[in-house]
Amino acid sequence: MNLALWIVAGLLAALALAGGITKTFVPKQKLAAANGGGWTGDASVGFVKALGILELLAAVGLILPAVLDIAPVLVTVTAVCWILLMVGAMITHLRYGEARFILLNLIYLAMAAFVAWGRLGPEPFTG
């Protein structure tokens, strides 16, 4: 179980890192032209970059606190925050008629829920 939680947290961190780098550093016009990025055309540059920074922080928060054994509860907090972010992403993709991305966001939400549940319950980080 512990290994599965680490693998899922690692996958989520990699996804968050990729999304964060993209939203933070790729120009908004290029994002808007990408498949599934139509929503960025209506969002401000600051909002898109803020989401990117939040995703970069999520990538760090899903791994680093546990690895360094400094406030490992932040892994769970980050997973819950990722769940909220995915709810927002699903609502946004629904508004833009991008149904296939809703399924992808639902999978990411389920992964984060697994990490949050696993670290709160059966496999908490204990010193």
Side-chain angles (χ1 to χ4, degrees):
M1 176 68 113
N2 188 42
L3 179 61
L5 288 165
W6 273 106
I7 291 170
V8 173
L11 288 172
L12 276 177
L15 291 166
L17 182 64
I21 288 171
T22 303
K23 288 180 187 78
T24 304
F25 299 110
V26 174
K28 187 179 113 163
Q29 297 80 8
K30 198 169 187 178
L31 288 174
N35 195 11
W39 65 271
T40 59
D42 294 332
S44 71
V45 172
F47 179 73
V48 175
K49 290 198 182 299
L51 282 178
I53 292 167
L54 286 174
E55 289 184 17
L56 291 172
L57 291 172
V60 171
L62 285 165
I63 302 296
L64 209 53
V67 169
L68 297 177
D69 197 26
I70 299 173
V73 70
L74 290 177
V75 172
T76 305
V77 171
T78 302
V80 171
C81 290
W82 188 262
I83 291 168
L84 297 173
L85 186 66
M86 289 302 102
V87 169
M90 288 188 290
I91 291 168
T92 300
H93 287 301
L94 179 65
R95 288 181 178 168
Y96 282 84
E98 300 169 337
R100 67 178 180 260
F101 293 102
I102 295 171
L103 178 60
L104 195 57
N105 294 134
L106 188 59
I107 292 168
Y108 298 158
L109 183 149
M111 291 168 67
F114 173 69
V115 171
W117 167 80
R119 292 305 181 198
L120 282 175
E123 287 290 335
F125 293 111
T126 55

